[in-house]
């Protein structure tokens, strides 16, 4: 799929320089850089949701109840 966009000259210059250094076509460098960037955004959103869940008392109570069940299962397994 083709996309047409406009970038500032300094960004295009940096892109051309780095693509040349890596002996890689500019479009492949853009693809890789954008993929990594988007994955990092997704990871940051995921981490943020965990932080928010950690601040939510209801979520923490459910998690603690689950951990209590887990520890009970471990104890029961050790005693068997």
């Amino acid at each position: 799929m083709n996309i047409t966009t406009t970038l500032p000259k300094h960004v295009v210059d940096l892109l051309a320089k780095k693509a040349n250094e890596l002996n890689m076509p500019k479009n492949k460098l853009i693809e890789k850089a954008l993929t990594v960037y988007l994955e990092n955004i997704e990871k940051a959103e995921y981490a943020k949701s965990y932080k928010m869940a950690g601040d939510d008392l209801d979520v923490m109570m459910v998690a603690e109840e689950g951990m209590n069940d887990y520890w009970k299962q471990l104890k029961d397994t050790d005693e068997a």
Side-chain angles (χ1 to χ4, degrees):
M1 176 176 232
N2 290 328
I3 294 177
T4 302
T5 187
T6 302
L7 297 170
K9 182 180 181 333
H10 74 278
V11 173
V12 174
D13 291 343
L14 289 171
L15 173 64
K17 180 181 177 188
K18 189 54 69 176
N20 189 44
E21 289 173 7
L22 296 172
N23 194 27
M24 176 185 292
K26 290 187 289 270
N27 65 323
K28 289 296 178 189
L29 182 54
I30 291 169
E31 178 184 344
K32 288 182 181 290
L34 188 55
T35 298
V36 168
Y37 180 75
L38 294 173
E39 287 172 353
N40 284 336
I41 288 174
E42 192 169 319
K43 287 177 187 176
E45 290 171 347
Y46 193 67
K48 182 179 176 183
S49 72
Y50 266 93
K51 183 179 183 330
M52 289 174 55
D55 294 336
D56 186 320
L57 293 178
D58 291 334
V59 171
M60 291 304 294
M61 287 175 56
V62 169
E64 287 176 8
E65 287 175 14
M67 285 304 296
N68 287 334
D69 290 342
Y70 175 72
W71 287 117
K72 184 180 180 310
Q73 289 174 3
L74 287 178
K75 184 179 177 187
D76 291 347
T77 302
D78 287 344
E79 293 175 357

